[in-house]
Amino acid sequence: MPTDVPAAAARQEELLRRARARASGRGASASGAPPAASESAGRGPAPLSHAQRRMWLMDRLGHGSASYSVPFATRLRGPLDVAALTTAVTALVQRHEILRTRYGQRDGEPYQETLSAPEAVPVPVVDTDEDGAHALLAEEARRPFDLSTGPVMRALVLRHGEQDHTVLLTFHHIAIDGGSLETVARELAELYGSAVHGTGPRPHAAPPQYADFARNELAAAGRLDEGLRHWTGRLADATPPRLPRPTKAPSDAVTRPAGTRTVPLGEQVPQALRALGSEHRATLFTVALAAAFAALQRLTGRDDLVIGVASTHRQGAAMRELVGLCVNTLPVRVDTSGDPAFTALVERVRDALLEAQQYRHVPFDLVLERLGAAARDTDGTALVRVTADVLGEPTALHLPGMAGEYVEVGVDEAKFDLSFGLFDTEVPAALVQYRRTALDGDAATGLGTHYATLLEAVAADPHLRLSQLGGTAPAPQESEGSRDPQGTGDTPGGHPAEAALRTHPRIADATVAGPAGGPLLAYAVLRESVGPTPHELRAHLRAALAPESVPAAVTLLDSLPRTADGGVDQARLPGMPAPAVPTGPRADAVTEGFTALLGRVPAPDDDFFALGGHSLVAVRLAERLREALKLPLTGLDVLQARTPRAVTALLDAREIERAAAKAAPVSARPRRTRPGTVLVTGATGGVGASIVRELAAQGRPVLALARPESAHLVAAEGVDVVEGDLADLAGLRQAVDGADAVVHAACTFTRPEVDVAAMEAMTAAWRRGPFVFVSSVDAYGHPAEDRVAEESASRDPLSPYGRAKLDCEALLLRAAGTEGRGGASAVRSPIVWGPHDRLRDQLRWGATGMLYQAAQEGRPIALPRPGTGGHAWYGAAWVHAAALARSVTACLDTPVHGVANALSGHVSWRDLATDLTELLGSTSPIHETDQVHQDLDHRWHYDCARLAAPLRSQPGEDRRSVLSAMVNGGSGQAL
């Protein structure tokens, strides 16, 4: 095995509950005795702190992305004792309960529960060279956490050489903050030293536990009224800044949601800014924050601005050793009007920050709840969307006997729409990080340059006025609301009257609408409180436009009503005909849900936030409707739809989709009366759906495993559905027990420990018939030879995904042929292409996605030149989903009793890039370089003799046809 893991044969349920971290032996507790039950754990579940609640809500709303992973990596040079590191990490988790806490929900309220102290925390070791390390670290950091089961910390060691390692600890943000990392690093160093010398850890007083902090915060909630009154008054009528959005959302925004612009600064800049601050009774942080306000003022053209800053609840010596999330957001509101000198702006920011810090104990989420709809702009944008910080030297792990160096692990995520940063390090720099869907890329590049130039300028002459600091305000049409919010690429102001109004110097926003059968109407928003009258504006239009293009009337509004995605909501414009009130069971359920949770009967177009809604209510409403209507709905859906009408329309659309899928008659025969039933997992995925289709075409009875909300997608004649997923081990065992054969095609992709635990449960329940596992060529790792024979030995490095596939294969093949079980087949597939929607997602990620997106955007495509690195060919293996399905079903009749590859062919990167550019009509130039991008570092050809017959290509399964089907969304005819 390529992984070094502390020993323990884990039970299946415990594997799932503890993130299914498999161990190969049972280690001793760090103190040599069984860990004592924790005092806090003995008191039962605890409430969540407000900071934790925010993290939990983000996870429940569907934001459980790498944004909230905290990777902590250090390059260690010297003799690393992995066993001692395992002991130290285990002792750390035993010592701090927050690192072994799970998060549940009871009666709509979240709680935290401390799990038993582990006997050993797994610390896998992966051999990899320096070139492959970055990708492995990033992959591990992006791997999501399951807060409902834990753990919230993972460890990984990359071994580059005998005395050269990288140690990565990945935490969920719900369990840790920056201050905690310093405690973790210090305690790990001490615990490691004790383990190396065999002395046992020095006795320490028990550290404070985070659950107690959360309980105390809840107990003090009644003392927050004064602070809440301050914040609601201070933030009254504040609105979030409008940022210049991209005209069209980046095509790779899903795989690369964040952008970063870093500009080096002169070595003297931080010290000069620090000196400037001391002259005005301000810190370096305050000066950097003032610079962020100046840059934001220039970007938006607005004077009344709010920027969020991080604050901490850590006060006093007792809190110093606390590990947990002790941060709060302070909204700092500053008036930049009057073209002040930068020194004057520093003083304004200083006073505003000092005032905010007096009330830093008030959780920001409570402030947002008290503000209600006033905490958001008319388009739903949150009040704090811009933040600022000063970044010092990062924390690193310094273990005895080794030199430690911090390693940056990028996860390409951004927590806010825009963040300013000043690196106060040996190599100073200005930083701008942004969400690529929220801020135009060119604007972000210019903003990063401007922020750095501004810092340099005020470091040299702090008396410059804001107007003297350079930079260009964005043109009005580039602000949010004037861009094309649907991403259609249409130019703003499609109607001539709208365009003419937008060019008026005293108009901030405008739109034109034409009611069915009615006159053309125009709506405008003035830049100032006083401006041209509707009569004057209509005269302006008559002078500029042909008579048929002049609206019948111009109406002035304070702001244009907008939909959740930022587009103008024409149904809410004055004078437009009111749409019919939604009716039916889904509309009734939505109205009842809004009423029950918000305490008011809503009108169809009442705004969720204006009614007092917030994130937790959205989660509860989604769960209520999902349970009542048996339709998929998330809290994020509610926050984006916002009105009862829009939520009802979304549910109506999903009911139509479900009804269409059920249109074909479904057999009513109970599955247990049908001999030969084949269980198929992952039946709603692209591969699983193809397998179900192939089995049904052969007349085999199928039992498809699917989540409840998507079960309708696989219902068909000859196909019965059992509800469940890979996390439901009991359900998996029951499903396997009721089948005469098993095809296991489901995979989490990002949670290999869940995949392994699921396979362990399924093989334990398997008692008859064949079992086919859809595996991956990733299980081969990085073979030494460019041609790979079937069942060749795996070679490091293996990705966590590839290693999990290998472990699953081993579990299956060991069980095959025992206790009445049939033959087993592990079918390793490469990239799977096909017309299924889930397979089209490959146009957004990986090598295929990278080439597709470059061709779609007309960007140059750089490919590795044959011969680079000593390899004559670079490209990928691929298989058509239908060919893979035939191969899998063939293994039911004739098991291969081992591993077989399933491929339709191999394609060089040049041929694939050429196909994609031609299919898209792209002008992207293709050129070769001596550099090999990590996504394109693939040069292996895989043999596939064992399944050659079912893999034989059928009409429409050639590469060109399947790519055409994926690109164009059709059935796949070659161009």
Side-chain angles (χ1 to χ4, degrees):
M1 293 291 292
T3 306
D4 299 335
V5 190
R11 296 183 302 270
Q12 293 164 11
E13 299 294 347
E14 191 66 12
L15 278 171
L16 179 63
R17 196 166 69 98
R18 298 186 183 181
R20 298 86 173 175
R22 294 180 64 231
S24 56
R26 186 175 298 273
S29 114
S31 61
S38 92
E39 198 174 309
S40 177
R43 282 185 277 168
L48 270 60
S49 71
H50 287 284
Q52 283 182 310
R53 179 183 286 251
R54 183 66 177 166
M55 294 296 108
W56 179 82
L57 280 170
M58 290 300 100
D59 185 78
R60 297 287 292 180
L61 288 170
H63 287 302
S65 64
S67 294
Y68 300 103
S69 290
V70 181
F72 174 41
T74 303
R75 184 80 173 263
L76 296 171
R77 290 180 171 85
L80 176 64
D81 186 333
V82 175
L85 179 63
T86 300
T87 299
V89 171
T90 301
L92 181 79
V93 174
Q94 292 171 353
R95 178 171 165 80
H96 297 283
E97 295 172 0
I98 191 64
L99 300 181
R100 46 186 170 90
T101 293
R102 63 175 291 272
Y103 300 85
Q105 184 180 8
R106 184 179 295 119
D107 298 327
E109 281 295 321
Y111 65 87
Q112 56 185 311
E113 180 180 36
T114 304
L115 302 174
S116 301
E119 295 181 347
V121 173
V123 182
V125 179
V126 176
D127 290 314
T128 181
D129 57 23
E130 192 166 348
D131 293 339
H134 176 76
L136 287 173
L137 292 173
E139 182 177 4
E140 174 68 8
R142 291 192 191 102
R143 194 155 57 93
F145 290 92
D146 186 346
L147 296 184
S148 66
T149 61
V152 290
M153 188 202 83
R154 299 189 296 262
L156 175 68
V157 174
L158 301 185
R159 182 163 49 206
H160 315 301
E162 186 176 348
Q163 297 198 7
D164 187 3
H165 300 79
T166 297
V167 173
L168 172 65
L169 302 179
T170 307
F171 305 86
H172 193 287
H173 201 1
I174 200 170
I176 205 159
D177 58 13
S180 302
L181 279 182
E182 297 178 6
T183 300
V184 166
R186 183 177 64 254
E187 291 192 2
L188 264 182
E190 182 178 324
L191 292 167
Y192 175 83
S194 299
V196 166
H197 296 104
T199 58
R202 290 189 302 166
H204 283 287
Q209 299 298 340
Y210 191 87
D212 295 326
F213 167 80
R215 291 188 180 100
N216 293 338
E217 185 183 74
L218 179 65
R223 299 194 291 271
L224 299 175
D225 288 346
E226 180 187 351
L228 286 170
R229 283 194 298 271
H230 163 80
W231 282 118
T232 52
R234 182 76 180 99
L235 299 175
D237 71 12
T239 57
R242 293 213 165 178
L243 305 177
R245 273 182 177 167
T247 304
K248 189 174 184 180
S251 59
D252 59 345
V254 174
T255 56
R256 195 164 64 88
T260 301
R261 170 70 169 160
T262 305
V263 182
L265 299 172
E267 294 181 3
Q268 79 289 350
V269 169
Q271 188 55 41
L273 297 177
R274 193 175 278 108
L276 165 61
S278 65
E279 292 176 6
H280 295 270
R281 297 180 294 113
T283 62
L284 173 63
F285 177 85
T286 303
V287 176
L289 179 58
F293 272 107
L296 187 60
Q297 189 267 352
R298 186 52 55 92
L299 176 71
T300 63
R302 289 181 50 175
D303 291 323
D304 183 8
L305 297 168
V306 176
I307 293 181
V309 301
S311 178
T312 180
H313 293 301
R314 296 179 187 277
Q315 300 177 46
M319 293 280 286
R320 213 166 285 150
E321 302 299 314
L322 179 64
V323 172
L325 184 61
C326 298
V327 296
N328 191 26
T329 298
L330 294 185
V332 181
R333 186 176 184 181
V334 172
D335 182 359
T336 65
S337 64
D339 193 22
F342 185 75
T343 51
L345 180 61
V346 168
E347 293 178 352
R348 293 184 193 181
V349 172
R350 176 200 64 201
D351 294 344
L353 184 57
L354 288 173
E355 179 187 43
Q357 288 174 338
Q358 292 179 40
Y359 300 95
R360 64 179 178 271
H361 61 286
V362 182
F364 184 55
D365 280 5
L366 285 185
V367 176
L368 292 179
E369 288 183 20
R370 181 67 64 89
L371 288 169
R376 295 177 180 270
D377 204 351
T378 54
D379 64 355
T381 303
L383 180 61
V384 172
R385 63 185 313 199
V386 181
T387 64
D389 203 356
V390 173
L391 310 168
E393 294 291 349
T395 302
L397 187 61
H398 297 285
L399 300 185
M402 285 173 283
E405 177 187 357
Y406 170 79
V407 175
E408 176 71 27
V409 181
V411 293
D412 292 328
E413 299 272 0
K415 295 182 179 67
F416 296 91
D417 289 347
L418 172 62
S419 296
F420 294 93
L422 168 62
F423 283 102
D424 181 24
T425 58
E426 291 184 2
V427 184
L431 168 74
V432 166
Q433 185 186 56
Y434 61 101
R435 285 187 178 136
R436 297 175 65 225
T437 54
L439 182 61
D440 178 75
D442 291 339
T445 299
L447 180 62
T449 302
H450 172 60
Y451 183 49
T453 302
L454 190 155
L455 290 168
E456 296 266 10
V458 299
D461 183 359
H463 299 288
L464 291 170
R465 294 190 174 277
L466 298 193
S467 60
Q468 298 173 305
L469 293 176
T472 303
Q477 67 268 22
E478 292 182 346
S479 64
E480 288 175 327
S482 58
R483 291 272 192 173
D484 167 30
Q486 306 299 332
T488 62
D490 296 338
T491 57
H495 191 279
E498 183 175 333
L501 285 172
R502 289 188 185 281
T503 58
H504 194 291
R506 302 181 72 181
I507 297 297
D509 207 353
T511 191
V512 170
L520 196 67
L521 303 175
Y523 303 84
V525 178
L526 298 177
R527 287 192 179 280
E528 308 292 342
S529 58
V530 178
T533 66
H535 177 75
E536 291 169 336
L537 289 174
R538 193 161 181 272
H540 167 72
L541 295 177
R542 279 200 306 269
L545 303 174
E548 63 272 15
S549 297
V550 178
V554 178
T555 302
L556 295 180
L557 302 175
D558 292 331
S559 63
L560 296 181
R562 298 201 174 275
T563 59
D565 61 9
V568 175
D569 188 349
Q570 294 201 353
R572 293 162 57 201
L573 290 169
M576 298 296 287
V581 175
T583 59
R586 287 175 294 282
D588 293 343
V590 170
T591 300
E592 291 168 4
F594 269 72
T595 303
L597 296 175
L598 296 172
R600 295 169 56 185
V601 179
D605 297 306
D606 279 352
D607 186 272
F608 175 78
F609 298 111
L611 294 169
H614 50 79
S615 300
L616 183 56
V617 174
V619 169
R620 292 173 179 167
L621 179 58
E623 291 174 345
R624 177 190 179 107
L625 293 173
R626 192 166 60 239
E627 178 65 25
L629 301 173
K630 306 303 180 187
L631 289 169
L633 190 73
T634 67
L636 187 59
D637 289 332
V638 173
L639 293 181
Q640 291 175 338
R642 296 176 58 188
T643 67
R645 185 189 305 281
V647 174
T648 301
L650 180 62
L651 291 169
D652 285 345
R654 290 180 178 172
E655 174 58 29
I656 291 171
E657 178 184 329
R658 179 166 67 179
K662 288 184 174 181
V666 181
S667 171
R669 291 173 295 172
R671 63 180 176 87
R672 298 193 70 87
T673 65
R674 297 190 295 167
T677 292
V678 181
L679 170 68
V680 180
T681 67
T684 57
V687 173
S690 298
I691 294 170
V692 169
R693 191 180 305 114
E694 178 67 23
L695 289 168
Q698 295 177 10
R700 298 183 189 233
V702 176
L703 178 64
L705 183 76
R707 293 177 182 271
E709 63 269 22
S710 55
H712 62 283
L713 298 177
V714 290
E717 176 64 33
V719 179
D720 293 319
V721 179
V722 59
E723 296 179 353
D725 59 31
L726 296 187
D728 179 10
L729 299 185
L732 282 175
R733 285 190 286 265
Q734 185 177 2
V736 171
D737 183 60
D740 297 310
V742 179
V743 173
H744 183 27
C747 180
T748 68
F749 292 101
T750 57
R751 297 166 62 195
E753 64 279 354
V754 176
D755 295 325
V756 174
M759 176 61 88
E760 201 153 17
M762 294 176 71
T763 53
W766 175 34
R767 284 294 180 273
R768 62 185 177 276
F771 194 127
V772 185
F773 173 49
V774 181
S775 186
S776 168
V777 294
D778 284 25
Y780 287 115
H782 284 60
E785 302 297 327
D786 289 348
R787 179 163 289 280
V788 182
E790 290 173 297
E791 284 197 305
S792 294
S794 299
R795 183 172 180 272
D796 286 338
L798 274 80
S799 66
Y801 168 76
R803 181 173 294 105
K805 289 294 189 184
L806 194 63
D807 290 347
C808 287
E809 289 177 2
L811 287 167
L812 174 63
L813 297 177
R814 278 200 300 266
T818 64
E819 301 180 21
R821 299 179 177 97
S825 307
V827 179
R828 292 183 179 177
S829 76
I831 299 171
V832 184
W833 287 339
H836 193 279
D837 285 342
R838 295 286 290 276
L839 297 177
R840 291 191 188 100
D841 284 345
Q842 296 194 63
L843 299 178
R844 300 189 301 171
W845 56 269
T848 308
M850 185 178 73
L851 298 180
Y852 172 80
Q853 289 155 18
Q856 188 180 49
E857 297 169 10
R859 292 187 279 109
I861 300 175
L863 304 174
R865 180 178 291 108
T868 302
H871 302 288
W873 180 88
Y874 285 94
W878 67 279
V879 64
H880 194 287
L884 176 59
R886 291 194 301 272
S887 302
V888 167
T889 55
C891 291
L892 293 172
D893 297 324
T894 310
V896 297
H897 303 291
V899 173
N901 297 336
L903 287 81
S904 294
H906 297 81
V907 57
S908 70
W909 295 135
R910 173 169 282 280
D911 287 345
L912 179 56
T914 300
D915 285 346
L916 291 172
T917 54
E918 291 177 356
L919 289 169
L920 290 166
S922 171
T923 58
S924 290
I926 301 173
H927 64 278
E928 295 177 338
T929 74
D930 293 327
Q931 303 296 318
V932 183
H933 188 282
Q934 64 182 29
D935 286 344
L936 301 179
D937 189 12
H938 192 282
R939 65 264 186 186
W940 295 285
H941 283 72
Y942 302 94
D943 293 338
C944 56
R946 292 184 174 182
L947 297 174
L951 286 169
R952 192 171 295 116
S953 180
Q954 303 294 321
E957 291 181 2
D958 59 282
R959 186 184 78 233
R960 184 76 170 203
S961 293
V962 70
L963 287 174
S964 175
M966 293 172 69
V967 168
N968 298 314
S971 60
Q973 298 302 314
L975 296 184

